[in-house]
Amino acid sequence: MSDSYGEWPLQRLMTEVVGSGPKSAADMTREQATEAFERILDHDPDPTTLGAFWLANRWKRNDGEELGAYVDVMRRDSVVTAEPDADPVDCGANYDGKQSSALLGVAAGVVAAAGGTPIVVHSGDRVPTQQGDAYKHVLDELGVRTELSPDESARMVDEVGFGFYYQPEFNPVVDALWDRREKMGVRTFVNTVETLGNPANADVHLGSFYHLAFAKKIVETVRESEAVGFDRVLMFQGMEGYDDVRPGSTTVAEWSAGGDVEDFTVETPDYGMDFESEDLHVDDVAVDSAAITADVLAGEERGPFVDAVALNAALRMYAGEDVDSIDEGVEAAREVIADGRAESLLADLCAF
């Protein structure tokens, strides 16, 4: 943490830069955004000023330079990294979780790992504003240990192929903002930057978006960041903003360092997902998602969830460049489910 600050307390930033409204507010410089988040993580601002600042950032919308600065402060002042020997795909879904549809990222990640693509997932516990079910809660229902130190998480990746990093352990200073975030009642830029914590120092990030413009902003953030470390990003339209692909005609955004963002469309019925989003809805996200995960990986048919898991696993393999196409990834995913490798990996994960 900083022992001293510059000349830009949040109140001055509100008055002179970001607080005049969505049409007239200006963007901050990297230096201003850096100081702002240093102060926030150090619990320096008055709570009223902090809430106003978060809301002003939401109204005006942060650009990539501001978000990149926020990520760099977070990585320096809060994130504790533990890098596995493996080269995993980092799956950073929205930490505030899901409310109504099955969370398939555990099943898809296990299948991808069984197919040769190491996977890292990370989340907190009932993060504002939705405080919904996230990776942690499905893993808990499966009997997987989740409250791990970063070093234990890295060892899980290397020993199993799939690893979970827990926000209070690897990003404790951001986690300590929970109370202030909960009182906001709306998402803030912290919801965006915490997904880019990259606790495993992975080279590849997989995420999701509602609109393609958000994927482009994440890529811009990665470009502007000096510390996040990603040189490849794959994002797609996910259900409830999570990293479960939406049935239908789904846009995928792809970026590698040195290039531009490219996008293409996946017609999910071509991969067996010939159904509606409502078919993936469940009554209890954590409990039902865990049961679906166990059944699908055991080869016990669970209707549309089998095809959804295979496609989501394929996108993870494609993100890691371990398959040349999504078609190849789907074929590999179905193979590791059929021959029992995915079920065996889940057993190893539960035994870790």
Side-chain angles (χ1 to χ4, degrees):
M1 291 299 172
S2 297
D3 295 324
S4 60
Y5 304 110
E7 301 177 352
W8 291 96
L10 263 61
Q11 188 171 0
R12 182 183 177 194
L13 286 170
M14 285 294 296
T15 302
E16 299 184 25
V17 186
V18 302
S20 61
K23 293 184 178 179
S24 57
D27 294 324
M28 290 175 284
T29 65
R30 168 175 282 276
E31 292 72 25
Q32 289 169 333
T34 295
E35 182 179 340
F37 207 30
E38 287 173 345
R39 288 174 178 272
I40 290 170
L41 293 185
D42 214 14
H43 298 276
D44 173 69
D46 176 87
T48 302
T49 307
L50 175 59
F53 181 78
W54 271 339
L55 194 58
N57 275 252
R58 180 181 174 91
W59 282 340
K60 84 168 191 66
R61 300 183 181 181
N62 290 117
D63 64 11
E65 182 176 9
E66 292 168 327
L67 291 171
Y70 295 153
V71 169
D72 288 349
V73 172
M74 177 181 70
R75 290 269 295 175
R76 184 193 69 206
D77 290 352
S78 182
V79 173
V80 179
T81 61
E83 186 172 338
D85 293 330
D87 186 16
V89 172
D90 171 88
C91 299
N94 289 337
Y95 278 22
D96 61 352
K98 302 183 82 174
Q99 301 282 347
S100 60
S101 61
L103 196 157
L104 303 177
V106 173
V110 168
V111 170
T117 300
I119 296 294
V120 160
V121 301
H122 41 95
S123 79
D125 190 1
R126 308 299 175 195
V127 171
T129 55
Q130 290 190 153
Q131 301 181 39
D133 290 306
Y135 274 117
K136 172 180 167 46
H137 308 108
V138 177
L139 290 165
D140 285 342
E141 291 294 332
L142 286 166
V144 177
R145 286 200 302 136
T146 56
E147 297 183 13
L148 305 167
S149 70
D151 285 340
E152 289 178 303
S153 299
R155 186 162 59 85
M156 179 185 279
V157 179
D158 284 329
E159 292 186 10
V160 180
F162 177 105
F164 174 75
Y165 286 72
Y166 185 38
Q167 186 186 41
E169 295 290 336
F170 81 85
N171 201 354
V173 185
V174 166
D175 180 68
L177 294 172
W178 192 98
D179 182 64
R180 297 262 58 86
R181 295 170 66 186
E182 192 270 339
K183 286 178 166 45
M184 278 294 296
V186 295
R187 290 177 177 176
T188 71
F189 64 75
V190 181
N191 291 83
T192 299
V193 300
E194 69 187 347
T195 66
L196 299 174
N198 194 14
N201 286 334
D203 296 325
V204 180
H205 174 72
L206 180 138
S208 69
F209 58 87
Y210 286 110
H211 304 290
L212 183 59
F214 182 77
K216 293 179 178 178
K217 182 169 288 189
I218 292 298
V219 170
E220 184 184 357
T221 300
V222 169
R223 283 174 172 154
E224 292 286 344
S225 170
E226 298 171 356
V228 71
F230 297 126
D231 57 24
R232 177 166 165 76
V233 174
L234 189 84
M235 302 186 72
F236 54 78
Q237 288 174 305
M239 293 187 65
E240 299 187 68
Y242 220 76
D243 57 7
D244 299 314
V245 68
R246 185 184 70 185
S249 183
T250 296
T251 300
V252 179
E254 182 176 5
W255 171 81
S256 294
D260 296 323
V261 179
E262 298 181 358
D263 63 272
F264 58 92
T265 300
V266 172
E267 303 298 332
T268 63
D270 295 343
Y271 303 96
M273 288 180 62
D274 192 11
F275 46 78
E276 302 297 325
S277 295
E278 289 73 17
D279 294 314
L280 299 179
H281 282 198
V282 291
D283 294 325
D284 186 313
V285 173
V287 172
D288 293 342
S289 297
I292 290 164
T293 297
D295 287 349
V296 169
L297 300 190
E300 299 176 6
E301 181 69 28
R302 284 297 296 257
F305 298 108
V306 178
D307 296 320
V309 168
L311 180 54
N312 278 286
L315 284 162
R316 284 153 173 77
M317 296 181 202
Y318 179 76
E321 299 183 290
D322 293 311
V323 295
D324 294 328
S325 67
I326 295 173
D327 295 83
E328 183 182 340
V330 169
E331 183 178 348
R334 296 191 189 283
E335 183 178 325
V336 299
I337 293 173
D339 67 17
R341 277 180 285 168
E343 183 181 25
S344 178
L345 194 146
L346 178 61
D348 291 342
L349 186 62
C350 292
F352 178 84

mmCIF file with all atom_site columns, all heavy atoms in Angstrom, residues 328-351:
data_model
loop_
_atom_site.group_PDB
_atom_site.id
_atom_site.type_symbol
_atom_site.label_atom_id
_atom_site.label_alt_id
_atom_site.label_comp_id
_atom_site.label_asym_id
_atom_site.label_entity_id
_atom_site.label_seq_id
_atom_site.pdbx_PDB_ins_code
_atom_site.Cartn_x
_atom_site.Cartn_y
_atom_site.Cartn_z
_atom_site.occupancy
_atom_site.B_iso_or_equiv
_atom_site.pdbx_formal_charge
_atom_site.auth_seq_id
_atom_site.auth_comp_id
_atom_site.auth_asym_id
_atom_site.auth_atom_id
_atom_site.pdbx_PDB_model_num
ATOM 1   N N   . GLU A 1 328 ? -13.035 -29.670 -33.724 1.00 0.00 ? 328 GLU A N   1
ATOM 2   C CA  . GLU A 1 328 ? -12.071 -30.617 -33.175 1.00 0.00 ? 328 GLU A CA  1
ATOM 3   C C   . GLU A 1 328 ? -12.185 -30.687 -31.657 1.00 0.00 ? 328 GLU A C   1
ATOM 4   O O   . GLU A 1 328 ? -12.064 -31.760 -31.055 1.00 0.00 ? 328 GLU A O   1
ATOM 5   C CB  . GLU A 1 328 ? -10.651 -30.206 -33.586 1.00 0.00 ? 328 GLU A CB  1
ATOM 6   C CG  . GLU A 1 328 ? -9.573  -31.173 -33.130 1.00 0.00 ? 328 GLU A CG  1
ATOM 7   C CD  . GLU A 1 328 ? -8.173  -30.703 -33.510 1.00 0.00 ? 328 GLU A CD  1
ATOM 8   O OE1 . GLU A 1 328 ? -8.043  -29.849 -34.426 1.00 0.00 ? 328 GLU A OE1 1
ATOM 9   O OE2 . GLU A 1 328 ? -7.200  -31.180 -32.879 1.00 0.00 ? 328 GLU A OE2 1
ATOM 10  N N   . GLY A 1 329 ? -12.425 -29.531 -31.035 1.00 0.00 ? 329 GLY A N   1
ATOM 11  C CA  . GLY A 1 329 ? -12.580 -29.506 -29.590 1.00 0.00 ? 329 GLY A CA  1
ATOM 12  C C   . GLY A 1 329 ? -13.807 -30.256 -29.122 1.00 0.00 ? 329 GLY A C   1
ATOM 13  O O   . GLY A 1 329 ? -13.754 -30.980 -28.114 1.00 0.00 ? 329 GLY A O   1
ATOM 14  N N   . VAL A 1 330 ? -14.925 -30.096 -29.818 1.00 0.00 ? 330 VAL A N   1
ATOM 15  C CA  . VAL A 1 330 ? -16.149 -30.820 -29.457 1.00 0.00 ? 330 VAL A CA  1
ATOM 16  C C   . VAL A 1 330 ? -15.921 -32.325 -29.563 1.00 0.00 ? 330 VAL A C   1
ATOM 17  O O   . VAL A 1 330 ? -16.324 -33.106 -28.685 1.00 0.00 ? 330 VAL A O   1
ATOM 18  C CB  . VAL A 1 330 ? -17.329 -30.378 -30.341 1.00 0.00 ? 330 VAL A CB  1
ATOM 19  C CG1 . VAL A 1 330 ? -18.530 -31.306 -30.151 1.00 0.00 ? 330 VAL A CG1 1
ATOM 20  C CG2 . VAL A 1 330 ? -17.723 -28.939 -30.026 1.00 0.00 ? 330 VAL A CG2 1
ATOM 21  N N   . GLU A 1 331 ? -15.257 -32.756 -30.623 1.00 0.00 ? 331 GLU A N   1
ATOM 22  C CA  . GLU A 1 331 ? -14.962 -34.176 -30.797 1.00 0.00 ? 331 GLU A CA  1
ATOM 23  C C   . GLU A 1 331 ? -14.089 -34.694 -29.650 1.00 0.00 ? 331 GLU A C   1
ATOM 24  O O   . GLU A 1 331 ? -14.341 -35.778 -29.088 1.00 0.00 ? 331 GLU A O   1
ATOM 25  C CB  . GLU A 1 331 ? -14.254 -34.405 -32.136 1.00 0.00 ? 331 GLU A CB  1
ATOM 26  C CG  . GLU A 1 331 ? -13.963 -35.859 -32.440 1.00 0.00 ? 331 GLU A CG  1
ATOM 27  C CD  . GLU A 1 331 ? -13.305 -36.051 -33.802 1.00 0.00 ? 331 GLU A CD  1
ATOM 28  O OE1 . GLU A 1 331 ? -13.290 -35.087 -34.598 1.00 0.00 ? 331 GLU A OE1 1
ATOM 29  O OE2 . GLU A 1 331 ? -12.803 -37.169 -34.057 1.00 0.00 ? 331 GLU A OE2 1
ATOM 30  N N   . ALA A 1 332 ? -13.073 -33.923 -29.264 1.00 0.00 ? 332 ALA A N   1
ATOM 31  C CA  . ALA A 1 332 ? -12.195 -34.323 -28.173 1.00 0.00 ? 332 ALA A CA  1
ATOM 32  C C   . ALA A 1 332 ? -12.953 -34.366 -26.843 1.00 0.00 ? 332 ALA A C   1
ATOM 33  O O   . ALA A 1 332 ? -12.740 -35.265 -26.017 1.00 0.00 ? 332 ALA A O   1
ATOM 34  C CB  . ALA A 1 332 ? -11.018 -33.360 -28.072 1.00 0.00 ? 332 ALA A CB  1
ATOM 35  N N   . ALA A 1 333 ? -13.842 -33.397 -26.640 1.00 0.00 ? 333 ALA A N   1
ATOM 36  C CA  . ALA A 1 333 ? -14.626 -33.355 -25.407 1.00 0.00 ? 333 ALA A CA  1
ATOM 37  C C   . ALA A 1 333 ? -15.523 -34.587 -25.285 1.00 0.00 ? 333 ALA A C   1
ATOM 38  O O   . ALA A 1 333 ? -15.595 -35.225 -24.215 1.00 0.00 ? 333 ALA A O   1
ATOM 39  C CB  . ALA A 1 333 ? -15.465 -32.080 -25.367 1.00 0.00 ? 333 ALA A CB  1
ATOM 40  N N   . ARG A 1 334 ? -16.198 -34.931 -26.350 1.00 0.00 ? 334 ARG A N   1
ATOM 41  C CA  . ARG A 1 334 ? -17.084 -36.103 -26.312 1.00 0.00 ? 334 ARG A CA  1
ATOM 42  C C   . ARG A 1 334 ? -16.269 -37.380 -26.062 1.00 0.00 ? 334 ARG A C   1
ATOM 43  O O   . ARG A 1 334 ? -16.732 -38.299 -25.366 1.00 0.00 ? 334 ARG A O   1
ATOM 44  C CB  . ARG A 1 334 ? -17.866 -36.204 -27.611 1.00 0.00 ? 334 ARG A CB  1
ATOM 45  C CG  . ARG A 1 334 ? -18.830 -35.034 -27.843 1.00 0.00 ? 334 ARG A CG  1
ATOM 46  C CD  . ARG A 1 334 ? -19.780 -35.307 -28.999 1.00 0.00 ? 334 ARG A CD  1
ATOM 47  N NE  . ARG A 1 334 ? -20.551 -34.144 -29.370 1.00 0.00 ? 334 ARG A NE  1
ATOM 48  C CZ  . ARG A 1 334 ? -21.605 -33.675 -28.697 1.00 0.00 ? 334 ARG A CZ  1
ATOM 49  N NH1 . ARG A 1 334 ? -22.001 -34.289 -27.589 1.00 0.00 ? 334 ARG A NH1 1
ATOM 50  N NH2 . ARG A 1 334 ? -22.271 -32.609 -29.114 1.00 0.00 ? 334 ARG A NH2 1
ATOM 51  N N   . GLU A 1 335 ? -15.064 -37.426 -26.588 1.00 0.00 ? 335 GLU A N   1
ATOM 52  C CA  . GLU A 1 335 ? -14.227 -38.614 -26.426 1.00 0.00 ? 335 GLU A CA  1
ATOM 53  C C   . GLU A 1 335 ? -13.806 -38.807 -24.976 1.00 0.00 ? 335 GLU A C   1
ATOM 54  O O   . GLU A 1 335 ? -13.859 -39.925 -24.445 1.00 0.00 ? 335 GLU A O   1
ATOM 55  C CB  . GLU A 1 335 ? -12.995 -38.485 -27.323 1.00 0.00 ? 335 GLU A CB  1
ATOM 56  C CG  . GLU A 1 335 ? -12.080 -39.699 -27.288 1.00 0.00 ? 335 GLU A CG  1
ATOM 57  C CD  . GLU A 1 335 ? -10.905 -39.555 -28.234 1.00 0.00 ? 335 GLU A CD  1
ATOM 58  O OE1 . GLU A 1 335 ? -11.082 -38.947 -29.323 1.00 0.00 ? 335 GLU A OE1 1
ATOM 59  O OE2 . GLU A 1 335 ? -9.809  -40.049 -27.885 1.00 0.00 ? 335 GLU A OE2 1
ATOM 60  N N   . VAL A 1 336 ? -13.388 -37.706 -24.292 1.00 0.00 ? 336 VAL A N   1
ATOM 61  C CA  . VAL A 1 336 ? -12.917 -37.873 -22.908 1.00 0.00 ? 336 VAL A CA  1
ATOM 62  C C   . VAL A 1 336 ? -14.074 -38.130 -21.953 1.00 0.00 ? 336 VAL A C   1
ATOM 63  O O   . VAL A 1 336 ? -13.867 -38.705 -20.877 1.00 0.00 ? 336 VAL A O   1
ATOM 64  C CB  . VAL A 1 336 ? -12.071 -36.666 -22.442 1.00 0.00 ? 336 VAL A CB  1
ATOM 65  C CG1 . VAL A 1 336 ? -10.841 -36.515 -23.318 1.00 0.00 ? 336 VAL A CG1 1
ATOM 66  C CG2 . VAL A 1 336 ? -12.879 -35.391 -22.384 1.00 0.00 ? 336 VAL A CG2 1
ATOM 67  N N   . ILE A 1 337 ? -15.280 -37.726 -22.318 1.00 0.00 ? 337 ILE A N   1
ATOM 68  C CA  . ILE A 1 337 ? -16.451 -38.098 -21.515 1.00 0.00 ? 337 ILE A CA  1
ATOM 69  C C   . ILE A 1 337 ? -16.758 -39.567 -21.717 1.00 0.00 ? 337 ILE A C   1
ATOM 70  O O   . ILE A 1 337 ? -16.983 -40.317 -20.757 1.00 0.00 ? 337 ILE A O   1
ATOM 71  C CB  . ILE A 1 337 ? -17.666 -37.226 -21.880 1.00 0.00 ? 337 ILE A CB  1
ATOM 72  C CG1 . ILE A 1 337 ? -17.432 -35.765 -21.470 1.00 0.00 ? 337 ILE A CG1 1
ATOM 73  C CG2 . ILE A 1 337 ? -18.927 -37.759 -21.197 1.00 0.00 ? 337 ILE A CG2 1
ATOM 74  C CD1 . ILE A 1 337 ? -18.513 -34.808 -21.960 1.00 0.00 ? 337 ILE A CD1 1
ATOM 75  N N   . ALA A 1 338 ? -16.740 -40.014 -22.971 1.00 0.00 ? 338 ALA A N   1
ATOM 76  C CA  . ALA A 1 338 ? -17.106 -41.396 -23.294 1.00 0.00 ? 338 ALA A CA  1
ATOM 77  C C   . ALA A 1 338 ? -16.123 -42.407 -22.728 1.00 0.00 ? 338 ALA A C   1
ATOM 78  O O   . ALA A 1 338 ? -16.524 -43.497 -22.273 1.00 0.00 ? 338 ALA A O   1
ATOM 79  C CB  . ALA A 1 338 ? -17.207 -41.565 -24.808 1.00 0.00 ? 338 ALA A CB  1
ATOM 80  N N   . ASP A 1 339 ? -14.833 -42.089 -22.715 1.00 0.00 ? 339 ASP A N   1
ATOM 81  C CA  . ASP A 1 339 ? -13.847 -43.084 -22.263 1.00 0.00 ? 339 ASP A CA  1
ATOM 82  C C   . ASP A 1 339 ? -13.535 -42.996 -20.772 1.00 0.00 ? 339 ASP A C   1
ATOM 83  O O   . ASP A 1 339 ? -12.675 -43.729 -20.264 1.00 0.00 ? 339 ASP A O   1
ATOM 84  C CB  . ASP A 1 339 ? -12.559 -43.009 -23.093 1.00 0.00 ? 339 ASP A CB  1
ATOM 85  C CG  . ASP A 1 339 ? -11.761 -41.720 -22.902 1.00 0.00 ? 339 ASP A CG  1
ATOM 86  O OD1 . ASP A 1 339 ? -12.002 -40.997 -21.916 1.00 0.00 ? 339 ASP A OD1 1
ATOM 87  O OD2 . ASP A 1 339 ? -10.906 -41.425 -23.752 1.00 0.00 ? 339 ASP A OD2 1
ATOM 88  N N   . GLY A 1 340 ? -14.218 -42.083 -20.045 1.00 0.00 ? 340 GLY A N   1
ATOM 89  C CA  . GLY A 1 340 ? -14.087 -42.045 -18.594 1.00 0.00 ? 340 GLY A CA  1
ATOM 90  C C   . GLY A 1 340 ? -12.994 -41.143 -18.064 1.00 0.00 ? 340 GLY A C   1
ATOM 91  O O   . GLY A 1 340 ? -12.843 -40.997 -16.839 1.00 0.00 ? 340 GLY A O   1
ATOM 92  N N   . ARG A 1 341 ? -12.212 -40.508 -18.946 1.00 0.00 ? 341 ARG A N   1
ATOM 93  C CA  . ARG A 1 341 ? -11.131 -39.652 -18.460 1.00 0.00 ? 341 ARG A CA  1
ATOM 94  C C   . ARG A 1 341 ? -11.660 -38.453 -17.680 1.00 0.00 ? 341 ARG A C   1
ATOM 95  O O   . ARG A 1 341 ? -11.058 -38.049 -16.670 1.00 0.00 ? 341 ARG A O   1
ATOM 96  C CB  . ARG A 1 341 ? -10.261 -39.180 -19.626 1.00 0.00 ? 341 ARG A CB  1
ATOM 97  C CG  . ARG A 1 341 ? -9.202  -40.186 -20.067 1.00 0.00 ? 341 ARG A CG  1
ATOM 98  C CD  . ARG A 1 341 ? -8.382  -39.641 -21.219 1.00 0.00 ? 341 ARG A CD  1
ATOM 99  N NE  . ARG A 1 341 ? -9.126  -39.678 -22.478 1.00 0.00 ? 341 ARG A NE  1
ATOM 100 C CZ  . ARG A 1 341 ? -8.743  -39.051 -23.590 1.00 0.00 ? 341 ARG A CZ  1
ATOM 101 N NH1 . ARG A 1 341 ? -7.639  -38.311 -23.585 1.00 0.00 ? 341 ARG A NH1 1
ATOM 102 N NH2 . ARG A 1 341 ? -9.462  -39.153 -24.692 1.00 0.00 ? 341 ARG A NH2 1
ATOM 103 N N   . ALA A 1 342 ? -12.763 -37.886 -18.129 1.00 0.00 ? 342 ALA A N   1
ATOM 104 C CA  . ALA A 1 342 ? -13.314 -36.724 -17.432 1.00 0.00 ? 342 ALA A CA  1
ATOM 105 C C   . ALA A 1 342 ? -13.815 -37.096 -16.043 1.00 0.00 ? 342 ALA A C   1
ATOM 106 O O   . ALA A 1 342 ? -13.563 -36.386 -15.058 1.00 0.00 ? 342 ALA A O   1
ATOM 107 C CB  . ALA A 1 342 ? -14.435 -36.106 -18.263 1.00 0.00 ? 342 ALA A CB  1
ATOM 108 N N   . GLU A 1 343 ? -14.504 -38.214 -15.936 1.00 0.00 ? 343 GLU A N   1
ATOM 109 C CA  . GLU A 1 343 ? -14.996 -38.659 -14.631 1.00 0.00 ? 343 GLU A CA  1
ATOM 110 C C   . GLU A 1 343 ? -13.828 -38.955 -13.699 1.00 0.00 ? 343 GLU A C   1
ATOM 111 O O   . GLU A 1 343 ? -13.871 -38.625 -12.504 1.00 0.00 ? 343 GLU A O   1
ATOM 112 C CB  . GLU A 1 343 ? -15.874 -39.895 -14.790 1.00 0.00 ? 343 GLU A CB  1
ATOM 113 C CG  . GLU A 1 343 ? -16.487 -40.362 -13.477 1.00 0.00 ? 343 GLU A CG  1
ATOM 114 C CD  . GLU A 1 343 ? -17.341 -41.605 -13.632 1.00 0.00 ? 343 GLU A CD  1
ATOM 115 O OE1 . GLU A 1 343 ? -17.114 -42.382 -14.586 1.00 0.00 ? 343 GLU A OE1 1
ATOM 116 O OE2 . GLU A 1 343 ? -18.243 -41.798 -12.793 1.00 0.00 ? 343 GLU A OE2 1
ATOM 117 N N   . SER A 1 344 ? -12.764 -39.564 -14.224 1.00 0.00 ? 344 SER A N   1
ATOM 118 C CA  . SER A 1 344 ? -11.589 -39.864 -13.411 1.00 0.00 ? 344 SER A CA  1
ATOM 119 C C   . SER A 1 344 ? -10.929 -38.589 -12.912 1.00 0.00 ? 344 SER A C   1
ATOM 120 O O   . SER A 1 344 ? -10.490 -38.510 -11.752 1.00 0.00 ? 344 SER A O   1
ATOM 121 C CB  . SER A 1 344 ? -10.595 -40.692 -14.236 1.00 0.00 ? 344 SER A CB  1
ATOM 122 O OG  . SER A 1 344 ? -9.426  -40.954 -13.499 1.00 0.00 ? 344 SER A OG  1
ATOM 123 N N   . LEU A 1 345 ? -10.847 -37.549 -13.760 1.00 0.00 ? 345 LEU A N   1
ATOM 124 C CA  . LEU A 1 345 ? -10.239 -36.291 -13.340 1.00 0.00 ? 345 LEU A CA  1
ATOM 125 C C   . LEU A 1 345 ? -11.072 -35.633 -12.245 1.00 0.00 ? 345 LEU A C   1
ATOM 126 O O   . LEU A 1 345 ? -10.526 -35.070 -11.293 1.00 0.00 ? 345 LEU A O   1
ATOM 127 C CB  . LEU A 1 345 ? -10.057 -35.362 -14.531 1.00 0.00 ? 345 LEU A CB  1
ATOM 128 C CG  . LEU A 1 345 ? -9.138  -34.144 -14.292 1.00 0.00 ? 345 LEU A CG  1
ATOM 129 C CD1 . LEU A 1 345 ? -8.370  -33.794 -15.566 1.00 0.00 ? 345 LEU A CD1 1
ATOM 130 C CD2 . LEU A 1 345 ? -9.926  -32.928 -13.813 1.00 0.00 ? 345 LEU A CD2 1
ATOM 131 N N   . LEU A 1 346 ? -12.412 -35.705 -12.363 1.00 0.00 ? 346 LEU A N   1
ATOM 132 C CA  . LEU A 1 346 ? -13.260 -35.142 -11.317 1.00 0.00 ? 346 LEU A CA  1
ATOM 133 C C   . LEU A 1 346 ? -13.023 -35.864 -9.997  1.00 0.00 ? 346 LEU A C   1
ATOM 134 O O   . LEU A 1 346 ? -12.973 -35.223 -8.934  1.00 0.00 ? 346 LEU A O   1
ATOM 135 C CB  . LEU A 1 346 ? -14.732 -35.248 -11.712 1.00 0.00 ? 346 LEU A CB  1
ATOM 136 C CG  . LEU A 1 346 ? -15.736 -34.723 -10.678 1.00 0.00 ? 346 LEU A CG  1
ATOM 137 C CD1 . LEU A 1 346 ? -15.515 -33.236 -10.392 1.00 0.00 ? 346 LEU A CD1 1
ATOM 138 C CD2 . LEU A 1 346 ? -17.175 -34.979 -11.136 1.00 0.00 ? 346 LEU A CD2 1
ATOM 139 N N   . ALA A 1 347 ? -12.830 -37.176 -10.047 1.00 0.00 ? 347 ALA A N   1
ATOM 140 C CA  . ALA A 1 347 ? -12.540 -37.923 -8.823  1.00 0.00 ? 347 ALA A CA  1
ATOM 141 C C   . ALA A 1 347 ? -11.230 -37.462 -8.202  1.00 0.00 ? 347 ALA A C   1
ATOM 142 O O   . ALA A 1 347 ? -11.119 -37.310 -6.979  1.00 0.00 ? 347 ALA A O   1
ATOM 143 C CB  . ALA A 1 347 ? -12.497 -39.413 -9.131  1.00 0.00 ? 347 ALA A CB  1
ATOM 144 N N   . ASP A 1 348 ? -10.216 -37.222 -9.044  1.00 0.00 ? 348 ASP A N   1
ATOM 145 C CA  . ASP A 1 348 ? -8.935  -36.729 -8.535  1.00 0.00 ? 348 ASP A CA  1
ATOM 146 C C   . ASP A 1 348 ? -9.097  -35.347 -7.914  1.00 0.00 ? 348 ASP A C   1
ATOM 147 O O   . ASP A 1 348 ? -8.450  -35.024 -6.907  1.00 0.00 ? 348 ASP A O   1
ATOM 148 C CB  . ASP A 1 348 ? -7.916  -36.659 -9.676  1.00 0.00 ? 348 ASP A CB  1
ATOM 149 C CG  . ASP A 1 348 ? -7.485  -38.028 -10.180 1.00 0.00 ? 348 ASP A CG  1
ATOM 150 O OD1 . ASP A 1 348 ? -7.688  -39.010 -9.449  1.00 0.00 ? 348 ASP A OD1 1
ATOM 151 O OD2 . ASP A 1 348 ? -6.972  -38.098 -11.308 1.00 0.00 ? 348 ASP A OD2 1
ATOM 152 N N   . LEU A 1 349 ? -9.944  -34.507 -8.530  1.00 0.00 ? 349 LEU A N   1
ATOM 153 C CA  . LEU A 1 349 ? -10.185 -33.168 -8.004  1.00 0.00 ? 349 LEU A CA  1
ATOM 154 C C   . LEU A 1 349 ? -10.839 -33.235 -6.632  1.00 0.00 ? 349 LEU A C   1
ATOM 155 O O   . LEU A 1 349 ? -10.465 -32.500 -5.705  1.00 0.00 ? 349 LEU A O   1
ATOM 156 C CB  . LEU A 1 349 ? -11.067 -32.398 -8.995  1.00 0.00 ? 349 LEU A CB  1
ATOM 157 C CG  . LEU A 1 349 ? -11.331 -30.929 -8.721  1.00 0.00 ? 349 LEU A CG  1
ATOM 158 C CD1 . LEU A 1 349 ? -10.034 -30.129 -8.743  1.00 0.00 ? 349 LEU A CD1 1
ATOM 159 C CD2 . LEU A 1 349 ? -12.313 -30.372 -9.768  1.00 0.00 ? 349 LEU A CD2 1
ATOM 160 N N   . CYS A 1 350 ? -11.797 -34.130 -6.486  1.00 0.00 ? 350 CYS A N   1
ATOM 161 C CA  . CYS A 1 350 ? -12.495 -34.279 -5.200  1.00 0.00 ? 350 CYS A CA  1
ATOM 162 C C   . CYS A 1 350 ? -11.564 -34.847 -4.124  1.00 0.00 ? 350 CYS A C   1
ATOM 163 O O   . CYS A 1 350 ? -11.752 -34.579 -2.936  1.00 0.00 ? 350 CYS A O   1
ATOM 164 C CB  . CYS A 1 350 ? -13.710 -35.171 -5.364  1.00 0.00 ? 350 CYS A CB  1
ATOM 165 S SG  . CYS A 1 350 ? -15.040 -34.460 -6.365  1.00 0.00 ? 350 CYS A SG  1
ATOM 166 N N   . ALA A 1 351 ? -10.569 -35.624 -4.552  1.00 0.00 ? 351 ALA A N   1
ATOM 167 C CA  . ALA A 1 351 ? -9.654  -36.254 -3.598  1.00 0.00 ? 351 ALA A CA  1
ATOM 168 C C   . ALA A 1 351 ? -8.468  -35.378 -3.239  1.00 0.00 ? 351 ALA A C   1
ATOM 169 O O   . ALA A 1 351 ? -7.714  -35.710 -2.312  1.00 0.00 ? 351 ALA A O   1
ATOM 170 C CB  . ALA A 1 351 ? -9.134  -37.574 -4.181  1.00 0.00 ? 351 ALA A CB  1
#
